[in-house]
Amino acid sequence: MRLLVINPNISDDVTALIESEALRSAAPGTDLVVRTAGHGVEYIETRFESLIAAGAVAEIIAEHTRPGAEPVDAVVVAAFGDPGMPALKELADVPVVGITEAAICAAALQGHRFSIIAISDRIKPWYRDCVERFGLAGRLASIRSINESLNSISSVQQDFKETLLALSRQAVAEDGADVVILAGAPLAGLARELKGQIPVPVVDGISAGIRMAEAVVGLQSGPHRAGAFAPPPPKDRKGLSGNLDAALAAAQAGTAPAVPGT
């Protein structure tokens, strides 16, 4: 199995954190292709920054799914908030999994109510939107976050480990969380380090994304050829990169005609 793992922000340090946790999480025999966004911001904190990142992620997916590219079995969008999702599911014939949807699904399997621990107050409204989009707002116990300035996005774990631990424990004791999600690629791997210090299951988004992608590939459910996530219909277009145009054309060429009466 070969997974394309994309960091939607431009931080190589965060990509290194993603890759380390992805390698620890992946099953034997799973190969990882880890890429960093070619343009954007150092870390994604708002809806608009997510919009910018979505285009960068689409370009990388197109590069690896265009005709002639070495095939991948699934794509993991490795930023909490899932920039570009679910629209990116329309581009590729392989599963495209965001770490938010993976983490939330994993949390929902392990408890009734979950809390999200985030790296900034500013990011919370966007995360709440994401949970609502997945239809699980009623199971969200809380979103708690660091409310201090970050020294460096690559050192959040070291700088705020005790704060993140305290927020997680508060989510359990005060908000009634059955599961805690440590949100965002900058926190990749921290759940392993805090194991046993939080009295409920703790979900790492990167780990969940890798394992969920492997599971979905294993289901062999087939691609979207119709319905809400079918490729966009053919139409005039201009200004797209060569990779994106080729990937989109290939996706459209494989779309099955509508079945009469359905």
Side-chain angles (χ1 to χ4, degrees), residues 92-135:
D93 270 354
V94 298
V96 183
V97 176
I99 66 169
T100 310
E101 64 178 349
I104 290 173
C105 287
L109 288 170
Q110 298 181 77
H112 180 65
R113 304 184 76 218
F114 58 88
S115 286
I116 296 172
I117 309 302
I119 63 172
S120 79
D121 287 341
R122 182 67 176 87
I123 215 166
K124 291 164 67 175
W126 174 37
Y127 282 2
R128 194 173 299 277
D129 284 353
C130 293
V131 176
E132 290 174 353
R133 187 179 76 232
F134 292 123

Side-chain angles (χ1 to χ4, degrees), residues 48-49 52 81 96 102-103 122 150 159 177 182 206 208 212 215 217 228 233 246 260:
F48 184 73
E49 292 170 345
I52 295 171
V96 183
R122 182 67 176 87
L150 306 183
D159 296 341
L182 296 180
I206 300 300
M212 290 288 187
V217 171

Side-chain angles (χ1 to χ4, degrees), residues 26-187:
T30 296
D31 295 323
L32 303 177
V33 179
V34 184
R35 294 288 306 275
T36 306
H39 66 269
V41 298
E42 66 171 326
Y43 64 100
I44 303 162
E45 201 172 11
T46 72
R47 300 176 187 88
F48 184 73
E49 292 170 345
S50 173
L51 180 65
I52 295 171
V57 173
E59 291 289 351
I60 296 173
I61 292 176
E63 177 186 346
H64 288 270
T65 59
R66 74 187 194 283
E70 186 175 357
V72 297
D73 296 296
V75 177
V76 177
V77 180
F80 217 81
D82 297 351
M85 297 286 282
L88 293 169
K89 295 179 185 288
E90 300 176 15
L91 179 60
D93 270 354
V94 298
V96 183
V97 176
I99 66 169
T100 310
E101 64 178 349
I104 290 173
C105 287
L109 288 170
Q110 298 181 77
H112 180 65
R113 304 184 76 218
F114 58 88
S115 286
I116 296 172
I117 309 302
I119 63 172
S120 79
D121 287 341
R122 182 67 176 87
I123 215 166
K124 291 164 67 175
W126 174 37
Y127 282 2
R128 194 173 299 277
D129 284 353
C130 293
V131 176
E132 290 174 353
R133 187 179 76 232
F134 292 123
L136 291 173
R139 296 178 67 175
L140 178 65
S142 62
I143 302 177
R144 288 182 174 263
S145 61
I146 299 169
N147 63 0
E148 302 176 47
S149 298
L150 306 183
N151 298 319
S152 167
I153 193 61
S154 62
S155 65
V156 173
Q157 294 189 38
Q158 292 78 20
D159 296 341
F160 294 101
K161 182 169 68 174
E162 292 305 317
T163 299
L164 293 162
L165 177 59
L167 291 171
S168 299
R169 289 171 169 169
Q170 288 168 1
V172 177
E174 300 175 23
D175 306 329
D178 303 310
V179 183
V180 167
I181 299 171
L182 296 180
L187 302 186

